[in-house]
C-alpha cells in the first residue's frame, strides 16, 4: 500500500500558456527586478514586451524584453503569437533596427515582406 503511492503517482497537469501568461503578468506587477526578468522570459504579449523594452527602470529588464520581443516577432520561439498578431504589431512599429531584424530573420515570408515595406533606411 505504501509503495503504491510511489509507483503510481498522479500526473500533474501541464502548465498551460494561459497560466504562464498570468504568472508573468503577476510577476511584472510585483516590482522585483528578478521577478520582472523571469516574467520577460515567459511573456507572450508583444505589446507588454514592447512597453517593458521602452519604459522599464532597469536596463537589464529593458534589454531582455527587447530581445524576447524581437524573437517572438520573428517567430523564433517554440510558442509565438499568431501571424496576424505579429503582422498587426509590425504595423505599429517604427524602430528601424527591429524592422531590419524582422526583414532578415522572420520565418514567414509575409512578415519579412511587411518589414521590408516599412523600412525607411535605404542602406538596410
Amino acid at each position: 500500500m505504501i509503495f503504491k503511492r510511489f509507483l503510481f503517482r498522479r500526473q500533474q497537469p501541464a502548465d498551460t500558456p494561459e497560466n504562464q501568461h498570468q504568472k508573468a503578468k503577476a510577476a511584472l506587477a510585483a516590482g522585483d527586478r528578478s521577478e520582472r526578468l523571469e516574467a520577460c522570459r515567459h511573456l507572450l504579449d508583444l505589446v507588454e514586451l514592447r512597453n517593458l523594452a521602452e519604459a522599464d527602470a532597469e536596463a537589464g529588464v529593458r534589454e531582455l524584453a527587447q530581445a524576447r520581443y524581437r524573437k517572438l516577432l520573428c517567430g523564433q520561439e517554440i510558442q509565438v503569437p499568431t501571424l496576424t498578431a505579429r503582422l498587426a504589431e509590425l504595423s505599429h512599429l517604427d524602430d528601424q533596427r527591429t524592422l531590419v531584424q524582422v526583414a532578415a530573420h522572420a520565418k514567414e515570408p509575409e512578415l519579412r515582406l511587411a518589414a521590408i515595406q516599412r523600412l525607411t533606411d535605404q542602406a538596410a
Side-chain angles (χ1 to χ4, degrees):
M1 192 112 170
I2 293 174
F3 293 113
K4 205 180 227 186
R5 260 174 56 197
F6 296 112
L7 294 176
F8 300 107
R9 288 188 180 190
R10 280 190 248 162
Q11 294 289 336
Q12 297 293 327
D15 203 10
T16 63
E18 293 83 19
N19 287 345
Q20 290 177 352
H21 184 68
Q22 292 300 329
K23 287 179 186 176
K25 287 275 199 180
L28 288 174
D32 183 33
R33 179 183 185 272
S34 61
E35 289 179 4
R36 287 197 321 269
L37 286 171
E38 189 61 30
C40 285
R41 291 183 183 96
H42 297 288
L43 198 59
L44 295 174
D45 187 1
L46 292 170
V47 175
E48 188 70 35
L49 280 169
R50 179 171 32 95
N51 291 339
L52 275 172
E54 293 172 353
D56 196 84
E58 294 283 333
V61 174
R62 286 192 308 265
E63 290 172 9
L64 182 63
Q66 181 66 27
R68 175 117 171 111
Y69 176 78
R70 288 179 180 176
K71 281 187 165 188
L72 286 177
L73 200 56
C74 289
Q76 297 175 340
E77 293 285 325
I78 294 171
Q79 291 181 335
V80 294
T82 63
L83 178 60
T84 55
R86 290 183 284 148
L87 283 169
E89 180 63 25
L90 191 68
S91 69
H92 300 293
L93 191 63
D94 291 326
D95 182 25
Q96 293 296 304
R97 289 184 343 184
T98 304
L99 288 171
V100 167
Q101 184 170 1
V102 172
H105 300 290
K107 287 191 175 188
E108 295 88 355
E110 300 92 349
L111 201 59
R112 289 193 307 265
L113 182 61
I116 289 170
Q117 290 173 346
R118 292 197 42 89
L119 283 173
T120 58
D121 185 14
Q122 294 299 323

